DNA sequence: TGCGATAGTAAACATCGTTCACCTGACTGA
DNA sequence: TCAGTCAGGTGAACGATGTTTACTATCGCA
């Protein structure tokens, strides 16, 4: 009576859970994480605040659940963008990077909740630090594309010995799920992810406005530069 | 009677202002931005909450002032690290990057307040989007080091025409204070800053734990890689 | 010495998360 | 069919918050 056919009660319950999370997101978007208020959500739903405690043990737990949903949402959009880009791993990488930025720019407050400073008790409890981290779902398609690209034709990287010594011992979580991952691919993936994350967070968090009025221009230039660096584009230099 | 000799009242006042901000920072570190409470600060100071309104018009204003102080602090430490690194601009860049990361790792919550998701009303009011942004003080020494490095010997970049067309029109704020800045330097600076910011934010915000147990290792590898890319290190490749 | 700005207090208001006691209505087992 | 269990919801209450208002005392300058 659990998975096969959800009983009527379970359907109503999950609908209410969704409505609560929708209300929380609306408040989040309108006024930031601080503006998420149980009482306001309940008012919007025509309920009273204590009723929400039948569905979430605390406000914090609700925010954690919302953050997990948002992580799933962005991971889904990124993966979809990659799949819609055809079979070439280079194009897939570009499409996924653009999809990630597009989601972030379209949902800046949500981005801050999921990818920003961990709200005390949220980031440390909800998103644990182990291999089944929700972040892994986001990284996986990037990793797969890098791997296919590498198998087709390797690109220049720092010397293998250096990476094996300085990076290898700390790739534990990554190697548990991808045991056969060449360290060159792991390095390039991590380096590229940091560049992507940095570029997007910088734009969404307003950290670059003092120097650049159109961050998307730099983003596109970096995509071209990075892809040519991993041999996925004709070298853009003359 | 303003600048020359601060009157006794002014001295006491600025001491109280500092004490308030110290209390705010203590609460920030202990429990995140949400934990900054006027009443708690006042209690710790042996006062009542409304007294603080003689010094700050609102809690938000206090947080903004604290954030500005923190930005000054990190900018000062970064600049000091650069100056302590001698005359070579490559060494200066490495020292400043390490100094930035060191401050962030030592003060993660403060980093989140200054470089994380803009608290609604804080990031948008306090850190305006124009050339006198406090972020500029942080970027300036990096920019200067890049410029000296470029004047000594240029490094390979994307083609000048591409950058002039796609990036040039949006460098307004940067060019107002550095009119003669070669666009290659501007691009390298922005790209490098995004990489540095991304690497540090990723570590401090716990966005990479699922793949890497020791982010500092990747950070150091990236410093080597980047510096060799701009010709500030012997190429680490065999 | 007197006066005015300054710093501080106490009380109050609206809001918040959370807990408790209570109620009600739907589903279930005999 | 009927009794009973329990999920879902309410209302009141507690302690905490930011903020405003009215009031008071004290410091420092003329």
């Amino acid at each position: 009576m659990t998975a096969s056919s959800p009983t009527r009660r379970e359907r109503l319950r999950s609908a209410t859970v969704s409505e609560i999370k929708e209300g929380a997101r609306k408040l989040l978007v309108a006024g930031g994480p601080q503006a998420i208020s149980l009482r306001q959500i309940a008012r919007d739903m025509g309920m009273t605040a204590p009723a929400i405690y039948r569905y979430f043990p605390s406000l914090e737990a609700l925010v954690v659940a919302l953050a997990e949903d948002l992580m799933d949402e962005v991971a889904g959009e990124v993966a979809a963008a990659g799949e819609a880009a055809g079979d070439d791993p280079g194009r897939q990488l570009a499409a996924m990077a653009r999809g990630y930025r597009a989601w972030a720019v379209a949902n800046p407050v949500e981005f801050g909740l999921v990818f920003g400073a961990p709200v005390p008790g949220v980031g440390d409890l909800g998103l644990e630090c182990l291999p089944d981290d929700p972040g892994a779902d986001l990284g996986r398609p990037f990793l797969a594309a890098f791997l296919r690209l590498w198998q087709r034709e390797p690109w220049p990287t720092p010397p293998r010995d250096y990476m094996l010594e300085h990076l290898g011992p700390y790739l534990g979580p990554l190697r548990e799920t991808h045991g056969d991952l060449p360290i060159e691919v792991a390095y390039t993936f991590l380096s590229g992810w940091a560049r992507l994350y940095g570029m997007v967070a910088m734009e969404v968090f307003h950290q670059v406005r003092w120097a650049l009025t159109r961050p998307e221009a730099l983003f596109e230039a970096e995509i071209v530069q990075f892809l040519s660096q991993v041999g996925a584009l004709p070298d853009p230099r003359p």
Side-chain angles (χ1 to χ4, degrees), chain A:
Chain A
M1 73 186 73
T2 55
S4 58
S5 69
T7 186
R8 169 179 168 80
R9 278 260 257 266
E10 288 171 335
R11 261 188 297 119
L12 286 182
R13 183 174 179 84
S14 84
T16 307
V17 166
S18 296
E19 194 179 349
I20 292 173
K21 290 193 282 197
E22 283 171 24
R25 181 168 185 174
K26 204 166 293 183
L27 293 177
L28 171 73
V29 170
Q34 314 216 12
I36 304 180
S37 152
L38 288 186
R39 292 185 120 108
Q40 188 59 49
I41 296 172
R43 264 193 299 270
D44 294 345
M45 295 176 63
M47 292 196 327
T48 59
I52 299 190
Y53 284 81
R54 300 282 169 186
Y55 302 90
F56 296 95
S58 71
L59 171 63
E60 223 175 69
L62 166 58
V63 176
V64 169
L66 176 59
E68 287 171 350
D69 278 14
L70 292 170
M71 179 61 102
D72 287 349
E73 179 179 313
V74 62
E77 287 212 6
V78 165
E83 288 165 11
D87 247 5
D88 179 64
R91 288 181 190 278
Q92 287 176 356
L93 285 174
M96 290 189 293
R98 292 197 179 99
Y100 181 66
R101 175 181 173 274
W103 186 88
V105 170
N107 307 280
V109 194
E110 292 93 326
F111 180 87
L113 182 65
V114 179
F115 297 99
V119 180
V122 168
D124 291 343
L125 289 178
L127 312 177
E128 273 296 340
C129 45
L130 285 196
D132 60 342
D133 188 294
D137 293 333
L138 181 56
R140 212 181 319 276
F142 287 94
L143 208 47
F146 276 119
L147 198 54
R148 285 185 53 210
L149 207 57
W150 179 262
Q151 287 160 349
R152 172 191 298 177
E153 182 169 16
W155 53 84
T157 68
R160 189 178 177 84
D161 289 346
Y162 177 91
M163 292 189 294
L164 280 176
E165 179 185 353
H166 291 88
L167 218 57
Y170 314 113
L171 293 177
L174 204 55
R175 286 235 150 128
E176 279 182 19
T177 51
H178 302 78
D180 55 344
L181 192 68
I183 196 160
E184 294 92 342
V185 176
Y187 165 76
T188 306
F189 163 71
L190 287 173
S191 170
W193 173 251
R195 288 173 75 167
L196 173 60
Y197 174 77
M199 197 73 67
V200 172
M202 208 163 159
E203 173 177 357
V204 173
F205 294 163
H206 305 163
Q207 295 295 333
V208 76
R209 290 187 173 179
W210 63 274
L212 190 63
T213 57
R214 197 168 178 282
E216 185 179 9
L218 181 63
F219 181 83
E220 287 297 327
E222 286 291 86
I223 284 195
V224 171
Q225 177 74 355
F226 184 81
L227 287 189
S228 80
Q229 185 180 314
V230 297
L233 268 191
D235 194 329
R237 297 176 202 164

